[in-house]
Amino acid sequence: MVAIECVALTKEYRKGDTALRVIDNLSFPFPEASSLSIVGRSGVGKSTLLHLLAGLDEPTSGTVLLHGQDQFALTEEERAGLRNTLLGFVYQFHNLLPEFSAEENVGMPLFIAGVPSAEVRERVHSLLSEVGLYERRHHLPGELSGGEAQRAAIARALIGRPKVIFADEPTGNLDVTTARVVQELLLRLAGEQNSILIAVTHSKELAQDTQVVLEMGPGGTLSEIEKARL
């Protein structure tokens, strides 16, 4: 299991002479668990933290360790390679490339990694079948429903068989019924691939279904809470 740790992590945003410190000197070793959810009030910095953990954004100071490796000691190119092989990311809004089909979007990380086309096609078709989109594989994102697009986004995040999957409000843009389907799919596939799932969510249902729940407070503080408190 990949060990994840924040060390003196700080993130602030500046506007003129004003600085907003969202995460303030956070040092936190994440519990070893197959799935974790991060909850907390809106605006507290949950998505900011997730982007830092995934190396999508750079901290003002401090760092994130993955198995003892300082992500931010790497070049941007090296971090991109790390994200493409070790990490997967699911956004609230699917972020599929509109000019590419579902099949092409899902296979993109493998093409970038230089995987042979025949293997890409085989793995993509297998995973699209798993998420119920094989018959929709040639459709563009604009031709998919919200739930279908999010399932394609999950498949894209999982196609590289990542060790860690980060999910930022993965069901937040879906109706209740579709959200439940997507939530169950994400948890099941992450478990089958032995990936760690770390999800930021306002969904009590998703949080209840994760192994560990962390609550984020002002300044980016993190503490494990009982599910009964949700």
Side-chain angles (χ1 to χ4, degrees):
M1 187 170 287
V2 175
I4 304 170
E5 183 175 2
C6 299
V7 180
L9 188 67
T10 296
K11 180 65 179 182
E12 64 180 29
Y13 297 96
R14 300 196 68 87
K15 186 174 183 181
D17 294 331
T18 304
L20 173 62
R21 183 164 289 193
V22 180
I23 297 173
D24 187 9
N25 199 37
L26 173 64
S27 291
F28 187 81
F30 278 74
E32 289 195 4
S34 59
S35 58
L36 302 94
S37 52
I38 302 173
V39 301
R41 64 176 176 80
S42 295
V44 79
K46 301 185 300 297
S47 293
T48 297
L49 175 62
L50 205 69
H51 281 74
L52 291 168
L53 294 176
L56 295 171
D57 195 6
E58 293 194 16
T60 304
S61 61
T63 196
V64 175
L65 303 179
L66 295 176
H67 264 336
Q69 170 69 62
D70 181 351
Q71 282 200 77
F72 300 104
L74 304 175
T75 66
E76 175 53 39
E77 184 179 356
E78 289 170 333
R79 282 212 311 278
L82 182 72
R83 289 195 299 270
N84 202 47
T85 55
L86 183 65
L87 311 176
F89 203 99
V90 181
Y91 298 87
Q92 178 176 353
F93 301 96
H94 53 75
N95 276 23
L96 299 174
L97 298 172
E99 67 272 27
F100 293 99
S101 68
E103 179 175 351
E104 291 166 331
N105 267 286
V106 172
M108 196 73 67
L110 298 184
F111 281 119
I112 292 171
V115 176
S117 297
E119 183 180 345
V120 172
R121 189 177 304 109
E122 180 181 351
R123 286 170 60 176
V124 169
H125 286 184
S126 175
L127 193 50
L128 284 175
S129 296
E130 280 284 319
V131 301
L133 288 178
Y134 180 76
E135 300 301 326
R136 305 280 281 166
R137 65 191 183 278
H138 297 308
H139 289 252
L140 297 174
E143 299 169 328
L144 302 175
S145 70
E148 288 172 335
Q150 195 65 327
R151 281 185 275 150
I154 289 170
R156 179 183 58 188
L158 288 165
I159 194 67
R161 298 165 185 159
K163 298 297 183 184
V164 187
I165 301 164
F166 297 102
D168 189 5
E169 296 286 2
T171 60
N173 198 39
L174 305 173
D175 64 78
V176 174
T177 301
T178 305
R180 187 68 192 178
V181 170
V182 168
Q183 170 186 319
E184 291 175 350
L185 179 69
L186 179 58
L187 285 162
R188 178 176 64 82
L189 291 177
E192 288 175 357
Q193 290 197 173
N194 293 316
S195 301
I196 302 169
L197 173 65
I198 299 179
V200 159
T201 185
H202 283 104
S203 167
K204 291 182 180 180
E205 291 76 16
L206 176 54
Q208 288 280 1
D209 281 352
T210 59
Q211 189 177 355
V212 171
V213 182
L214 301 175
E215 184 174 43
M216 191 168 184
T221 59
L222 288 173
S223 57
E224 188 172 341
I225 64 169
E226 298 293 331
K227 293 181 181 180
R229 287 183 50 195
L230 293 172

